[in-house]
Amino acid sequence: MSDLNTLTIAEARDKLRSGDIKARELTEACLKAAEAGKVLNALVHPTPEIALAQADAADARIAAGGTPSMCGIPLGIKDLFCTKGVASQAASGILKGFKPEYESTITTQLFNSGAVMIGKLNMDEFAMGSSNETSVYGNVINPWRRGNDTSDLTPGGSSGGSASAVAADFCLAATGTDTGGSIRQPAAFVGITGLKPTYGRCSRWGVVAFASSLDQAGPMTKSVRDAAIMLEAMAGHDPLDSTSADLAVPNFEAMITGDIKGKKIGIPKEYRMEGMPDEIETLWSDGAAMLKDAGAEIIDITLPHTKYALPAYYVIAPAEASSNLARYDGVRYGHRAKLGQGDGITEMYEKTRAEGFGAEVQRRVMIGTYVLSAGFYDAYYNRARKVRTLIKKDFEDVFAQGIDAILTPATPSSAFELGKKFDDPVQMYLNDVFTVTVNLAGLPGIAVPAGLDKQGLPLGLQLIGKPWEEGDLLNVAQVIEDRAGFVAKPIKWW
């Protein structure tokens, strides 16, 4: 079979276990597809030798029997995850040449389950961006196009390389991270499934930090079932991460029954944004109708502090980023600027950071440093933290009223043209309008492809669940997947 790379995790698992295919031939198919699709700029550090060695080990393990579901499955790893002996740059010039001597907890768990790494995937620098245009490696290109228009479109960000690689079948799935929508927005832009777990469900150890109280890793996959399979391998308590929850990891796949009779689905009125395209509104209504048809009860709800989410997020996230990024100073690892005669330690810091950080990272570091400074701490940072508490309480109140999940659009539009919004940070930040509340409240959220717009581009719906109830969330998402029947793929032009 030459199209093995188009399989889902669930399909590949069954074929591997039955002996119909080998992990090595599956991996070779993915490596070949990635090589042929270099123009998309999704895979930035290919690791074919590691991949084939892992695939051979997986084949031996499968032959012995009793293997985990992820055994032999080729994955792409976002460049934010530290991988031992493999470049881990967070798409930044300041980490040029950095090859960690350790493995992140999540990649360790995936590799222990037998997963195969085809390489490291492109992303926005330090995960700061919504279009994958801030990377030191250059832009990632969305495999989708608008009809006969050959303009390059964004795959979304910051996990744009992961989104593009999965949509173009370079790998069966990929890791992503989500600080304000960086798994769900790109997933919606390329027509795949993206799951942001509850904060603390997956370890952050060995994942380069952006905003520590918001960051959460999750799977980006071709189906809801695949997201459940991969999440089980990624999740679990980690004593190395103080924010990791000491909770048992359920069999998420077993919780997907397709039965949501009697479930209460909330529709928040605050998400009806001014100027929202009719297509997004229609998709949202259609999604609610699908869930109602499956036996769920659709209830209008209110999340009154939603309008303050974006401003609060763009105070809290840069504040945490400025603190986290202070360690990149040219002393211990990564890039160090050439110094002139008479330059001291201060000049070294200044020149190194000016050269190593891109414009968007510099912007956010400066905003974050400003809102944390003595004169403005209470006016900005503390006030934003109080707003965050109110946003979290909005969700708690809704769930206390018996709501099981909340349905919203995933993005305010389909994928836009690269370069169109890059010079207007506010326009770019508005891409996160439906997703940031989930991170501020620490909740699980999933984006599921549900239709195409009139230009033929994917559109996604978002479901928000109760804390730690990813299984229930995945079950509701499966209903949308089944009833929307989204099977469209980008027409191969690359």
Side-chain angles (χ1 to χ4, degrees), residues 58-77:
D59 279 330
R61 195 168 166 184
I62 291 165
T67 50
S69 293
M70 291 298 293
C71 193
I73 302 297
L75 303 177
I77 305 296

Side-chain angles (χ1 to χ4, degrees), residues 319-398:
E320 295 187 12
S322 78
S323 177
N324 277 325
L325 269 59
R327 73 191 69 171
Y328 303 108
D329 52 17
V331 175
R332 288 153 292 190
Y333 49 80
H335 175 74
R336 180 186 292 187
K338 285 190 169 65
L339 303 181
Q341 196 170 0
D343 282 348
I345 187 81
T346 304
E347 288 79 14
M348 188 194 76
Y349 287 160
E350 288 172 349
K351 288 181 178 179
T352 295
R353 290 167 69 81
E355 288 176 14
F357 288 147
E360 181 61 28
V361 173
Q362 290 182 20
R363 180 187 292 121
R364 296 201 198 191
V365 166
M366 287 191 287
I367 291 169
T369 305
Y370 177 81
V371 300
L372 288 176
S373 59
F376 302 102
Y377 188 89
D378 283 331
Y380 292 103
Y381 185 65
N382 256 348
R383 187 174 290 183
R385 286 173 61 207
K386 288 172 184 172
V387 169
R388 180 182 189 169
T389 302
L390 294 172
I391 289 167
K392 191 166 185 285
K393 189 173 185 308
D394 285 349
F395 283 105
E396 287 168 355
D397 291 347
V398 163

